[in-house]
């Protein structure tokens, strides 16, 4: 029995949102439409090979027109008209693609195919044909590369088609094919992350990144490009609030959607990642600090990140960052910092330097925590956590052979001694009791 692809609800929304259902009729009226069935008769759906071929040609025309104008739009009306025409042609092909996807999902009919020997290919095979043609023509990277030259509504169609293609790959079991494409075309993820440098396409690139973050194979491919993944962190501190917030949403999804993959990435790139990430905590604005603290606490308290957590709470410099955040002017920042700080205190096998800093500053920390109040007066869990942390601080004993004290950032007392080597992420994590819940 031929397998069936369940109707994809978002495609219904895409059609209404982009007007794809009217695309073929409008294009026919304009005389430049993609003929049904790739030039066939009647109401047959367009052929995916033909759509992808025409989209490929339209993208070439767009690139050539933009190259001739040197990217200086508005200075040469004739060339601007060529760019606009190419953009309109691309819109038609994108709408045709959406119709094909919808026809496949809704009616389960074969795309541009007829029965051969009395056997009609299944909708799943039809979806694979479309996906294969889309990837063979390198259309994902080429669409992203040309995003800045397209009109706003066409950019929205690019995002819609890309999201539907990624979802199609998962439906027809071809997510490995998508992964291979991104691995063989590393510029694809580079183009998406670099899109945050251009305000006009930043949110579009962000939406496509988050579409990828839903699928484990694409997350694995993205995180394998270490420089690109780390570069995403830098855009979370962009001067534009919209861009920094969007970039942080993308970072959040890549780190918290598939825990096992992101945990391995953090283990392999612990120092490089947190050198950038802790910068968000120390130098970010209010929104950046709060988002970064919330994401960090979510990661460290997740079981899959146990090795990362152990390495993090064994670093006395990281401890000092959160001790200083406990003294922030913002109550919200103090509360978020507490949820990370409590993990340092709850560790039953603290490194000597960490224990020494906590011991030397425990009186001040206890006074600070006693004045820390939850947002809700009935938040019993927070009160229990705070009381547990306070009791553990009060019970702290000096570590054996405590180093000579110095002064830590923010006035806290710290040890002045050679910094210990970086945590050995290849060894099993130290046994520990569960952190304060």
């Amino acid at each position: 029995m031929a397998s069936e692809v369940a109707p994809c609800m978002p495609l219904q929304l895409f059609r209404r949102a982009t007007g794809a259902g009217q695309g073929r009729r409008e294009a026919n009226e304009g005389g430049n439409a993609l003929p049904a069935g790739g030039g066939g008769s009647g109401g047959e759906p367009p052929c995916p090979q033909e759509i992808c071929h025409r989209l490929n040609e339209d993208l070439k025309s767009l690139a050539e027109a933009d190259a001739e104008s040197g990217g200086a739009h508005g200075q040469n009306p004739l060339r601007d008209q060529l760019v606009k025409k190419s953009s309109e042609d691309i819109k038609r092909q994108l709408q045709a693609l959406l119709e094909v996807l919808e026809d496949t999902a809704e009616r389960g009919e074969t795309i541009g195919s007829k029965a051969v020997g009395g056997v009609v290919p299944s909708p799943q095979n039809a979806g694979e044909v479309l996906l294969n043609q889309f990837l063979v023509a390198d259309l994902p990277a080429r669409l992203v590369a040309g995003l800045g030259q397209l009109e706003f509504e066409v950019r929205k169609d690019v995002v819609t088609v890309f999201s539907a293609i990624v979802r199609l790959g998962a439906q027809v079991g071809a997510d490995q094919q998508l992964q291979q494409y991104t691995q063989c075309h590393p510029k694809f993820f580079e183009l998406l992350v670099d899109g945050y440098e251009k305000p006009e396409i930043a949110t579009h690139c962000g939406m496509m990144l988050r579409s990828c973050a839903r699928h484990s194979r694409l997350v694995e491919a993205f995180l394998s490009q270490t420089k690109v993944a780390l570069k995403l962190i830098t855009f979370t501190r962009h001067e534009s609030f919209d861009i920094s917030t969007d970039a942080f949403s993308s970072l959040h999804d890549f780190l918290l959607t598939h825990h096992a993959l992101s945990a391995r990435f953090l283990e392999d790139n612990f120092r490089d990642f947190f050198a950038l990430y802790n910068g968000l905590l120390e130098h970010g604005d209010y929104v950046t600090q709060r988002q970064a603290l919330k994401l960090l606490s979510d990661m460290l308290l997740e079981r899959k990140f146990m090795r990362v957590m152990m390495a993090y709470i064994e670093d006395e410099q990281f401890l000092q960052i959160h001790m200083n955040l406990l003294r922030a002017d913002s109550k919200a920042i103090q509360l978020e910092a507490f949820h990370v700080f409590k993990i340092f205190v709850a560790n039953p096998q603290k490194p000597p330097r960490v224990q020494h800093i906590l011991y030397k500053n425990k009186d001040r920390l206890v006074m600070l925590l006693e004045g820390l109040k939850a947002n809700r007066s009935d938040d019993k869990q927070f009160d229990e956590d705070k009381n547990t942390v306070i009791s553990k601080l009060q019970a702290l004993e000096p570590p054996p052979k405590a180093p000579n004290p110095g002064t830590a950032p923010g006035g806290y007392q710290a040890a002045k001694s050679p910094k210990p080597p970086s945590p050995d992420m290849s060894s099993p994590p130290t046994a520990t009791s569960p952190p304060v819940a």
Side-chain angles (χ1 to χ4, degrees), residues 10 26 52 58 63 92 100 138 152 181 219 269 273 295 298 329 331 359 372 390 395 423 430:
E26 293 175 353
C52 292
D58 290 338
R92 293 191 188 96
V100 170
D138 194 20
F152 179 76
Y181 169 81
V219 170
N269 302 278
F273 177 87
L295 174 57
D298 287 345
D329 295 334
K331 177 182 176 182
Y359 176 76
L372 188 61
I390 289 175
T430 308

Short mmCIF file of all heavy atoms in Angstrom, two decimals, residues 10 26 52 58 63 92 100 138 152 181 219 269 273 295 298 329 331 359 372 390 395 423 430:
data_model
loop_
_atom_site.label_atom_id
_atom_site.label_comp_id
_atom_site.label_asym_id
_atom_site.label_seq_id
_atom_site.Cartn_x
_atom_site.Cartn_y
_atom_site.Cartn_z
N PRO A 10 0.42 23.83 8.57
CA PRO A 10 1.00 25.13 8.24
C PRO A 10 0.90 25.47 6.76
O PRO A 10 0.86 26.63 6.40
CB PRO A 10 2.46 24.97 8.68
CG PRO A 10 2.39 23.97 9.77
CD PRO A 10 1.33 23.01 9.33
N GLU A 26 -3.27 34.60 -11.14
CA GLU A 26 -2.74 35.94 -11.40
C GLU A 26 -1.64 35.90 -12.43
O GLU A 26 -1.54 36.77 -13.30
CB GLU A 26 -2.22 36.53 -10.09
CG GLU A 26 -3.35 36.81 -9.09
CD GLU A 26 -2.79 37.27 -7.76
OE1 GLU A 26 -1.54 37.22 -7.61
OE2 GLU A 26 -3.57 37.65 -6.89
N CYS A 52 11.71 24.19 -10.35
CA CYS A 52 13.06 24.42 -9.83
C CYS A 52 13.98 24.97 -10.91
O CYS A 52 14.84 25.82 -10.64
CB CYS A 52 13.63 23.14 -9.23
SG CYS A 52 12.78 22.60 -7.72
N ASP A 58 15.63 32.30 -12.81
CA ASP A 58 15.24 33.62 -12.30
C ASP A 58 16.25 34.15 -11.28
O ASP A 58 16.53 35.35 -11.24
CB ASP A 58 13.85 33.54 -11.66
CG ASP A 58 12.75 33.33 -12.70
OD1 ASP A 58 12.98 33.65 -13.88
OD2 ASP A 58 11.68 32.82 -12.32
N ALA A 63 20.75 37.84 -9.91
CA ALA A 63 22.16 38.07 -9.56
C ALA A 63 22.86 38.91 -10.63
O ALA A 63 23.65 39.81 -10.31
CB ALA A 63 22.86 36.74 -9.37
N ARG A 92 6.54 34.17 -8.45
CA ARG A 92 5.62 33.23 -9.12
C ARG A 92 6.06 31.79 -8.92
O ARG A 92 5.24 30.91 -8.66
CB ARG A 92 5.55 33.55 -10.61
CG ARG A 92 4.91 34.88 -10.96
CD ARG A 92 4.64 34.99 -12.44
NE ARG A 92 4.20 36.32 -12.80
CZ ARG A 92 4.97 37.29 -13.25
NH1 ARG A 92 6.27 37.04 -13.44
NH2 ARG A 92 4.50 38.48 -13.53
N VAL A 100 2.37 23.13 -5.20
CA VAL A 100 2.80 21.74 -5.34
C VAL A 100 2.82 21.07 -3.97
O VAL A 100 2.32 19.95 -3.79
CB VAL A 100 4.19 21.66 -6.00
CG1 VAL A 100 4.73 20.24 -5.92
CG2 VAL A 100 4.12 22.11 -7.45
N ASP A 138 20.78 23.68 -5.63
CA ASP A 138 21.38 24.55 -4.62
C ASP A 138 20.49 25.76 -4.33
O ASP A 138 20.97 26.86 -4.06
CB ASP A 138 22.78 25.02 -5.08
CG ASP A 138 23.58 25.64 -3.95
OD1 ASP A 138 23.25 25.38 -2.77
OD2 ASP A 138 24.55 26.39 -4.23
N PHE A 152 10.04 42.83 -0.15
CA PHE A 152 9.69 42.34 1.18
C PHE A 152 8.74 41.15 1.14
O PHE A 152 8.94 40.15 1.83
CB PHE A 152 9.07 43.47 2.01
CG PHE A 152 8.66 43.06 3.39
CD1 PHE A 152 9.62 42.87 4.38
CD2 PHE A 152 7.32 42.82 3.70
CE1 PHE A 152 9.25 42.48 5.66
CE2 PHE A 152 6.96 42.42 4.97
CZ PHE A 152 7.91 42.25 5.95
N TYR A 181 23.10 18.03 2.52
CA TYR A 181 23.17 19.27 1.75
C TYR A 181 23.89 20.36 2.55
O TYR A 181 24.79 21.04 2.03
CB TYR A 181 21.77 19.76 1.37
CG TYR A 181 21.78 21.16 0.80
CD1 TYR A 181 22.10 21.39 -0.53
CD2 TYR A 181 21.51 22.26 1.62
CE1 TYR A 181 22.15 22.67 -1.04
CE2 TYR A 181 21.56 23.55 1.11
CZ TYR A 181 21.88 23.75 -0.22
OH TYR A 181 21.95 25.03 -0.72
N VAL A 219 20.34 20.50 13.30
CA VAL A 219 21.04 21.04 14.48
C VAL A 219 22.46 20.47 14.53
O VAL A 219 23.43 21.20 14.78
CB VAL A 219 20.28 20.69 15.78
CG1 VAL A 219 21.12 21.02 17.01
CG2 VAL A 219 18.95 21.44 15.83
N ASN A 269 33.50 22.48 23.08
CA ASN A 269 33.91 23.88 22.86
C ASN A 269 33.66 24.71 24.12
O ASN A 269 33.28 25.88 24.03
CB ASN A 269 33.13 24.46 21.67
CG ASN A 269 33.32 23.68 20.40
OD1 ASN A 269 34.31 23.85 19.68
ND2 ASN A 269 32.37 22.80 20.09
N PHE A 273 33.10 28.74 23.95
CA PHE A 273 31.69 29.13 24.06
C PHE A 273 31.48 30.08 25.24
O PHE A 273 30.89 31.15 25.09
CB PHE A 273 30.80 27.90 24.21
CG PHE A 273 29.34 28.23 24.38
CD1 PHE A 273 28.53 28.43 23.29
CD2 PHE A 273 28.78 28.36 25.66
CE1 PHE A 273 27.18 28.74 23.45
CE2 PHE A 273 27.45 28.68 25.82
CZ PHE A 273 26.65 28.87 24.71
N LEU A 295 18.60 31.29 30.09
CA LEU A 295 19.05 30.19 29.23
C LEU A 295 20.12 29.37 29.94
O LEU A 295 20.11 28.13 29.89
CB LEU A 295 19.57 30.73 27.91
CG LEU A 295 20.19 29.71 26.95
CD1 LEU A 295 19.22 28.59 26.62
CD2 LEU A 295 20.64 30.41 25.66
N ASP A 298 18.59 27.17 32.63
CA ASP A 298 17.84 26.07 31.99
C ASP A 298 18.79 24.98 31.53
O ASP A 298 18.49 23.79 31.66
CB ASP A 298 17.03 26.59 30.81
CG ASP A 298 15.82 27.41 31.23
OD1 ASP A 298 15.44 27.34 32.43
OD2 ASP A 298 15.25 28.12 30.38
N ASP A 329 21.45 46.09 40.22
CA ASP A 329 20.39 47.02 40.61
C ASP A 329 19.01 46.44 40.33
O ASP A 329 18.03 46.76 41.01
CB ASP A 329 20.54 48.35 39.86
CG ASP A 329 21.80 49.09 40.25
OD1 ASP A 329 22.27 48.89 41.38
OD2 ASP A 329 22.32 49.86 39.41
N LYS A 331 16.14 43.77 40.35
CA LYS A 331 15.69 42.62 41.13
C LYS A 331 15.55 41.40 40.24
O LYS A 331 15.88 40.26 40.65
CB LYS A 331 14.36 42.94 41.80
CG LYS A 331 13.80 41.77 42.59
CD LYS A 331 12.44 42.12 43.19
CE LYS A 331 11.83 40.91 43.90
NZ LYS A 331 10.49 41.23 44.45
N TYR A 359 33.51 30.82 51.30
CA TYR A 359 33.73 30.89 52.74
C TYR A 359 34.10 32.31 53.17
O TYR A 359 33.57 32.83 54.17
CB TYR A 359 34.84 29.92 53.15
CG TYR A 359 35.20 30.00 54.61
CD1 TYR A 359 34.38 29.44 55.59
CD2 TYR A 359 36.37 30.66 55.02
CE1 TYR A 359 34.70 29.53 56.92
CE2 TYR A 359 36.70 30.75 56.36
CZ TYR A 359 35.87 30.19 57.31
OH TYR A 359 36.19 30.29 58.64
N LEU A 372 16.69 39.11 49.58
CA LEU A 372 16.19 38.80 48.24
C LEU A 372 14.80 38.19 48.32
O LEU A 372 14.59 37.19 49.01
CB LEU A 372 17.16 37.82 47.55
CG LEU A 372 16.92 37.53 46.06
CD1 LEU A 372 17.04 38.81 45.24
CD2 LEU A 372 17.92 36.48 45.56
N ILE A 390 21.21 29.45 52.04
CA ILE A 390 21.70 30.18 53.21
C ILE A 390 22.27 29.22 54.26
O ILE A 390 23.35 29.45 54.82
CB ILE A 390 20.57 31.04 53.81
CG1 ILE A 390 20.25 32.22 52.87
CG2 ILE A 390 20.96 31.56 55.19
CD1 ILE A 390 19.07 33.06 53.31
N ALA A 395 27.05 26.90 56.96
CA ALA A 395 27.74 25.70 57.44
C ALA A 395 29.09 25.49 56.78
O ALA A 395 29.80 24.53 57.10
CB ALA A 395 26.85 24.47 57.18
N PRO A 423 38.82 22.51 32.89
CA PRO A 423 38.21 21.23 33.24
C PRO A 423 38.44 20.20 32.16
O PRO A 423 38.39 20.51 30.98
CB PRO A 423 36.72 21.58 33.37
CG PRO A 423 36.69 23.04 33.61
CD PRO A 423 37.88 23.61 32.90
N THR A 430 32.20 14.56 38.16
CA THR A 430 32.32 14.22 39.57
C THR A 430 30.95 13.89 40.13
O THR A 430 29.97 14.55 39.82
CB THR A 430 32.92 15.40 40.34
OG1 THR A 430 34.11 15.79 39.69
CG2 THR A 430 33.19 15.04 41.78
#
